[in-house]
Amino acid sequence: DKSVEIMLKIAQRLSDDDRGKYIITDVLKLAHDEEDDDSRIVAVQLLSKLAEIFGTELCEQFVAHEIMSLAEDPSFKVRKAVAEHAVEICSVVTQTTYTTKMYPLFCSLTVDTIWGVRKAAADNIVEIAKISSFETRLTSLTDMILGLLLDISQWVQKAAIQRLGQFIATLIPHPIPAKLIDSYTSMCLAKAEDEEEVIYQCAYNFPAVLAACGKEKWPTLKDIYQKLWEIDMDKVSYSLSCSIHQISKILGPEIGSSEIVPLMLEHLQEGGPNSLPLLENASELLSSTTEENILEFFDTLQTFHEYSVKKWRVREMIASHIHQYAKLIPSERVFKNLWSMV
């Protein structure tokens, strides 16, 4: 809010000594105000936002200690604020302090008695993973997110599902635990029919999940990818269209040519808003495919162009990428396949 913004601006203009003398003193007064929950919440926000400005030394001396105390506050609203903002402090303190104090603090918030606190922790688990050691991600944090996926609160479950793909991506290139992949596929599919935001996150993060798992896991992930394309949600299908060339690149020319390019051609023929990202990335997707696929693309493109007379955005997309399309075929075929569109 405004008070936090003003304090930040003031702190940026002060010397290190004055920050410790004036800013810290005022924030500690708020943090120790036992009569007003809102004051302690503002203290959490200020401590986290000012952490980078304070630097490691002040954070070690004051900020970490206060946040640890506030994480045990009687008010769940204060504990929720800590779950939302603690990561900003975690990234400033030393690795030793993070490992011995801040990380255990975060772990405790994921099992808080109040679901709102657990959800806030689930919302931030990916950011915590990014500053944790790989071993911690692979063991403790993996168990943590699996536990949140099974939380008694549907809101905590939903938050964990939405972050699962991003969490898996933090484990690249180590072999991904099978239980994480199983959770990603089963829980995303289970929510596919009635949770648009959850399934959108599943689609949006699919390239990162596939990259982390490697093409060796394509047989396991293939079914969910096809299922995602079948879901009638514009937001989901648009995301898939924007990343289809990345999927092909990860899988390599053989699988890309046999499974991904035909999928692109199928959905390009359907038209609609998804055609724009498909056209935009077509040349990259087709650069390492078969001649048969390329010729089918040009046939589709010709038909698509003819039926897009009133769709100027489609014509503009084709016009801006036609020079790239031309590089996909021998020069003697350019006139036959592209000249009429030009």
Side-chain angles (χ1 to χ4, degrees):
D1 59 15
K2 277 291 182 183
S3 61
V4 174
E5 291 179 14
I6 292 171
M7 189 72 83
L8 283 172
K9 290 179 180 179
I10 294 173
Q12 289 170 345
R13 295 177 178 272
L14 297 178
S15 66
D16 290 343
D17 288 342
D18 285 342
R19 285 171 189 155
K21 184 178 180 180
Y22 299 109
I23 301 295
I24 285 284
T25 301
D26 288 344
V27 176
L28 291 183
K29 288 179 182 178
L30 293 172
H32 296 164
D33 185 351
E34 298 180 0
E35 302 299 322
D36 188 0
D37 292 356
D38 289 339
S39 291
R40 300 196 300 281
I41 291 171
V42 170
V44 172
Q45 295 171 343
L46 284 169
L47 288 170
S48 60
K49 297 298 182 184
L50 290 166
E52 188 173 355
I53 297 174
F54 286 153
T56 300
E57 186 176 352
L58 278 178
C59 282
E60 294 277 332
Q61 292 176 356
F62 300 103
V63 178
H65 174 76
E66 292 301 325
I67 284 293
M68 291 177 66
S69 176
L70 290 165
E72 298 178 346
D73 196 276
S75 169
F76 81 89
K77 294 179 180 179
V78 177
R79 300 197 305 275
K80 178 174 177 285
V82 174
E84 291 170 340
H85 296 284
V87 68
E88 297 171 83
I89 299 168
C90 293
S91 60
V92 177
V93 297
T94 63
Q95 189 63 34
T96 299
T97 298
Y98 171 68
T99 303
T100 60
K101 296 180 179 180
M102 299 301 294
Y103 181 69
L105 174 156
F106 183 80
C107 292
S108 69
L109 295 171
T110 66
V111 292
D112 195 275
T113 56
I114 303 298
W115 71 264
V117 178
R118 301 195 304 275
K119 179 185 178 299
D123 286 336
N124 287 278
I125 193 168
V126 173
E127 299 308 313
I128 288 293
K130 290 177 180 178
I131 58 176
S132 299
S133 67
F134 186 82
E135 185 63 27
T136 299
R137 278 178 266 157
L138 196 60
T139 54
S140 174
L141 277 168
T142 292
D143 291 338
M144 187 185 296
I145 196 168
L146 288 171
L148 291 168
L149 288 168
L150 299 175
D151 196 276
I152 58 174
S153 166
Q154 64 171 330
W155 301 109
V156 178
Q157 286 185 24
K158 183 176 179 179
I161 294 170
Q162 288 179 278
R163 274 79 189 172
L164 182 56
Q166 299 172 58
F167 179 80
I168 291 174
T170 69
L171 298 174
I172 190 170
H174 191 282
I176 308 299
K179 53 190 176 182
L180 280 179
I181 300 176
D182 291 342
S183 295
Y184 175 77
T185 56
S186 62
M187 299 199 76
C188 285
L189 288 175
K191 298 288 184 180
E193 300 304 325
D194 57 357
E195 295 283 1
E196 182 172 359
E197 186 58 32
V198 168
I199 203 61
Y200 166 72
Q201 291 294 333
C202 184
Y204 181 82
N205 290 302
F206 190 89
V209 171
L210 181 60
C213 295
K215 67 178 182 180
E216 296 77 16
K217 289 295 183 181
W218 176 242
T220 302
L221 295 169
K222 178 179 177 179
D223 287 345
I224 189 174
Y225 189 62
Q226 293 177 335
K227 176 68 174 179
L228 288 168
W229 275 105
E230 294 169 2
I231 295 172
D232 186 20
M233 295 180 183
D234 291 343
K235 190 176 180 180
V236 172
S237 57
Y238 189 82
S239 178
L240 294 171
S241 298
C242 289
S243 64
I244 191 170
H245 61 296
Q246 298 173 341
I247 300 300
S248 184
K249 185 176 181 179
I250 295 168
L251 294 175
E254 184 176 349
I255 300 177
S257 294
S258 62
E259 300 185 34
I260 305 304
V261 174
L263 190 62
M264 182 273 283
L265 293 171
E266 175 187 342
H267 288 277
L268 184 59
Q269 291 168 357
E270 294 176 357
N274 297 333
S275 59
L276 292 176
L278 291 175
L279 288 169
E280 183 176 13
N281 299 305
S283 58
E284 183 176 348
L285 179 59
L286 295 167
S287 61
S288 58
T289 191
T290 63
E291 182 180 1
E292 181 182 359
N293 279 338
I294 292 173
L295 293 178
E296 185 176 351
F297 166 73
F298 280 109
D299 289 341
T300 302
L301 188 64
Q302 181 66 49
T303 303
F304 195 69
H305 180 262
E306 292 172 356
Y307 284 95
S308 300
V309 175
K310 297 182 179 180
K311 298 179 179 179
W312 68 266
R313 287 187 177 85
V314 172
R315 299 198 311 278
E316 181 186 45
M317 184 66 72
I318 294 175
S320 62
H321 288 80
I322 201 166
H323 66 290
Q324 296 175 343
Y325 303 156
K327 296 176 183 178
L328 296 170
I329 51 176
S331 56
E332 61 270 17
R333 300 191 66 102
V334 171
F335 184 84
K336 176 182 178 182
N337 294 99
L338 291 176
W339 182 250
S340 61
M341 281 185 279
V342 174

Short mmCIF file of all heavy atoms in Angstrom, two decimals, residues 128-153:
data_model
loop_
_atom_site.label_atom_id
_atom_site.label_comp_id
_atom_site.label_asym_id
_atom_site.label_seq_id
_atom_site.Cartn_x
_atom_site.Cartn_y
_atom_site.Cartn_z
N ILE A 128 10.73 -20.49 -3.65
CA ILE A 128 11.58 -21.09 -2.62
C ILE A 128 12.49 -22.15 -3.24
O ILE A 128 13.68 -22.25 -2.92
CB ILE A 128 10.72 -21.72 -1.50
CG1 ILE A 128 10.07 -20.62 -0.66
CG2 ILE A 128 11.55 -22.64 -0.62
CD1 ILE A 128 11.03 -19.79 0.17
N ALA A 129 11.95 -22.91 -4.17
CA ALA A 129 12.74 -23.95 -4.84
C ALA A 129 13.93 -23.34 -5.59
O ALA A 129 15.03 -23.92 -5.61
CB ALA A 129 11.86 -24.75 -5.80
N LYS A 130 13.71 -22.20 -6.19
CA LYS A 130 14.76 -21.56 -7.00
C LYS A 130 15.97 -21.14 -6.17
O LYS A 130 17.08 -21.05 -6.70
CB LYS A 130 14.19 -20.35 -7.75
CG LYS A 130 13.21 -20.72 -8.86
CD LYS A 130 12.63 -19.47 -9.50
CE LYS A 130 11.64 -19.82 -10.61
NZ LYS A 130 11.02 -18.60 -11.22
N ILE A 131 15.77 -20.87 -4.89
CA ILE A 131 16.89 -20.45 -4.06
C ILE A 131 17.36 -21.56 -3.13
O ILE A 131 18.25 -21.34 -2.31
CB ILE A 131 16.53 -19.19 -3.23
CG1 ILE A 131 15.32 -19.45 -2.35
CG2 ILE A 131 16.31 -17.99 -4.13
CD1 ILE A 131 14.98 -18.27 -1.44
N SER A 132 16.78 -22.74 -3.29
CA SER A 132 17.18 -23.90 -2.48
C SER A 132 18.19 -24.74 -3.25
O SER A 132 18.27 -24.66 -4.49
CB SER A 132 15.96 -24.76 -2.13
OG SER A 132 15.02 -24.03 -1.36
N SER A 133 18.94 -25.55 -2.53
CA SER A 133 19.89 -26.44 -3.19
C SER A 133 19.14 -27.49 -3.99
O SER A 133 17.97 -27.78 -3.73
CB SER A 133 20.77 -27.14 -2.15
OG SER A 133 19.99 -28.04 -1.37
N PHE A 134 19.83 -28.06 -4.97
CA PHE A 134 19.19 -29.07 -5.79
C PHE A 134 18.75 -30.26 -4.95
O PHE A 134 17.67 -30.82 -5.16
CB PHE A 134 20.13 -29.54 -6.90
CG PHE A 134 19.49 -30.47 -7.88
CD1 PHE A 134 18.72 -29.99 -8.92
CD2 PHE A 134 19.62 -31.85 -7.73
CE1 PHE A 134 18.10 -30.85 -9.80
CE2 PHE A 134 19.00 -32.71 -8.61
CZ PHE A 134 18.24 -32.21 -9.65
N GLU A 135 19.56 -30.64 -4.00
CA GLU A 135 19.23 -31.77 -3.13
C GLU A 135 17.95 -31.49 -2.34
O GLU A 135 17.10 -32.38 -2.18
CB GLU A 135 20.39 -32.05 -2.18
CG GLU A 135 20.20 -33.27 -1.30
CD GLU A 135 20.10 -34.57 -2.10
OE1 GLU A 135 20.66 -34.63 -3.21
OE2 GLU A 135 19.47 -35.52 -1.59
N THR A 136 17.80 -30.26 -1.87
CA THR A 136 16.58 -29.89 -1.14
C THR A 136 15.37 -29.96 -2.05
O THR A 136 14.30 -30.43 -1.65
CB THR A 136 16.72 -28.48 -0.55
OG1 THR A 136 17.82 -28.45 0.37
CG2 THR A 136 15.46 -28.05 0.19
N ARG A 137 15.51 -29.47 -3.27
CA ARG A 137 14.41 -29.53 -4.24
C ARG A 137 13.99 -30.97 -4.50
O ARG A 137 12.80 -31.30 -4.57
CB ARG A 137 14.82 -28.88 -5.55
CG ARG A 137 14.71 -27.38 -5.59
CD ARG A 137 15.19 -26.82 -6.90
NE ARG A 137 16.59 -26.43 -6.84
CZ ARG A 137 17.38 -26.33 -7.87
NH1 ARG A 137 16.94 -26.60 -9.07
NH2 ARG A 137 18.63 -25.95 -7.72
N LEU A 138 14.99 -31.84 -4.64
CA LEU A 138 14.73 -33.22 -5.03
C LEU A 138 14.14 -34.04 -3.89
O LEU A 138 13.45 -35.04 -4.14
CB LEU A 138 16.03 -33.86 -5.52
CG LEU A 138 15.93 -35.16 -6.32
CD1 LEU A 138 15.11 -34.96 -7.58
CD2 LEU A 138 17.32 -35.66 -6.66
N THR A 139 14.38 -33.63 -2.67
CA THR A 139 13.93 -34.43 -1.53
C THR A 139 12.83 -33.72 -0.74
O THR A 139 11.65 -33.97 -0.93
CB THR A 139 15.13 -34.75 -0.61
OG1 THR A 139 15.79 -33.51 -0.25
CG2 THR A 139 16.12 -35.65 -1.32
N SER A 140 13.24 -32.80 0.13
CA SER A 140 12.29 -32.15 1.04
C SER A 140 11.19 -31.39 0.31
O SER A 140 10.00 -31.54 0.63
CB SER A 140 13.06 -31.21 1.97
OG SER A 140 12.17 -30.46 2.77
N LEU A 141 11.56 -30.58 -0.69
CA LEU A 141 10.55 -29.79 -1.39
C LEU A 141 9.64 -30.66 -2.25
O LEU A 141 8.46 -30.34 -2.43
CB LEU A 141 11.23 -28.71 -2.23
CG LEU A 141 11.60 -27.44 -1.46
CD1 LEU A 141 12.51 -26.55 -2.30
CD2 LEU A 141 10.36 -26.66 -1.04
N THR A 142 10.19 -31.72 -2.81
CA THR A 142 9.35 -32.64 -3.57
C THR A 142 8.29 -33.26 -2.67
O THR A 142 7.11 -33.31 -3.02
CB THR A 142 10.21 -33.75 -4.22
OG1 THR A 142 11.03 -33.17 -5.24
CG2 THR A 142 9.33 -34.83 -4.85
N ASP A 143 8.70 -33.72 -1.50
CA ASP A 143 7.74 -34.28 -0.54
C ASP A 143 6.73 -33.21 -0.11
O ASP A 143 5.54 -33.50 0.09
CB ASP A 143 8.47 -34.82 0.69
CG ASP A 143 9.29 -36.06 0.37
OD1 ASP A 143 8.99 -36.73 -0.64
OD2 ASP A 143 10.24 -36.35 1.13
N MET A 144 7.22 -31.96 0.02
CA MET A 144 6.35 -30.87 0.44
C MET A 144 5.24 -30.60 -0.57
O MET A 144 4.06 -30.51 -0.20
CB MET A 144 7.18 -29.61 0.65
CG MET A 144 6.42 -28.45 1.25
SD MET A 144 7.46 -26.95 1.32
CE MET A 144 8.74 -27.51 2.47
N ILE A 145 5.59 -30.50 -1.84
CA ILE A 145 4.56 -30.19 -2.84
C ILE A 145 3.61 -31.37 -3.04
O ILE A 145 2.42 -31.19 -3.27
CB ILE A 145 5.19 -29.75 -4.18
CG1 ILE A 145 4.12 -29.05 -5.04
CG2 ILE A 145 5.82 -30.91 -4.94
CD1 ILE A 145 4.67 -28.31 -6.24
N LEU A 146 4.14 -32.59 -2.89
CA LEU A 146 3.26 -33.76 -2.98
C LEU A 146 2.25 -33.74 -1.83
O LEU A 146 1.09 -34.12 -2.01
CB LEU A 146 4.08 -35.04 -2.95
CG LEU A 146 4.90 -35.33 -4.21
CD1 LEU A 146 5.84 -36.51 -3.98
CD2 LEU A 146 3.98 -35.62 -5.39
N GLY A 147 2.69 -33.31 -0.65
CA GLY A 147 1.78 -33.19 0.48
C GLY A 147 0.72 -32.13 0.25
O GLY A 147 -0.46 -32.32 0.57
N LEU A 148 1.13 -31.00 -0.32
CA LEU A 148 0.18 -29.92 -0.60
C LEU A 148 -0.84 -30.32 -1.66
O LEU A 148 -1.99 -29.87 -1.64
CB LEU A 148 0.93 -28.67 -1.06
CG LEU A 148 1.79 -27.98 0.02
CD1 LEU A 148 2.72 -26.95 -0.60
CD2 LEU A 148 0.89 -27.32 1.07
N LEU A 149 -0.43 -31.18 -2.58
CA LEU A 149 -1.36 -31.67 -3.61
C LEU A 149 -2.48 -32.51 -3.01
O LEU A 149 -3.56 -32.64 -3.60
CB LEU A 149 -0.60 -32.51 -4.65
CG LEU A 149 0.32 -31.75 -5.60
CD1 LEU A 149 1.21 -32.72 -6.35
CD2 LEU A 149 -0.48 -30.90 -6.56
N LEU A 150 -2.22 -33.05 -1.83
CA LEU A 150 -3.21 -33.91 -1.15
C LEU A 150 -3.85 -33.21 0.04
O LEU A 150 -4.50 -33.86 0.86
CB LEU A 150 -2.53 -35.21 -0.69
CG LEU A 150 -1.92 -36.08 -1.79
CD1 LEU A 150 -1.19 -37.26 -1.19
CD2 LEU A 150 -3.01 -36.56 -2.76
N ASP A 151 -3.67 -31.90 0.12
CA ASP A 151 -4.20 -31.13 1.24
C ASP A 151 -5.73 -31.28 1.33
O ASP A 151 -6.40 -31.47 0.31
CB ASP A 151 -3.83 -29.66 1.07
CG ASP A 151 -4.00 -28.86 2.35
OD1 ASP A 151 -5.14 -28.40 2.62
OD2 ASP A 151 -3.02 -28.70 3.09
N ILE A 152 -6.25 -31.17 2.54
CA ILE A 152 -7.70 -31.31 2.72
C ILE A 152 -8.46 -30.13 2.12
O ILE A 152 -9.66 -30.24 1.86
CB ILE A 152 -8.06 -31.46 4.21
CG1 ILE A 152 -7.57 -30.25 5.01
CG2 ILE A 152 -7.50 -32.75 4.78
CD1 ILE A 152 -8.02 -30.26 6.46
N SER A 153 -7.77 -29.02 1.91
CA SER A 153 -8.42 -27.85 1.30
C SER A 153 -8.26 -27.88 -0.21
O SER A 153 -7.15 -28.00 -0.73
CB SER A 153 -7.79 -26.56 1.85
OG SER A 153 -8.16 -25.45 1.07
#
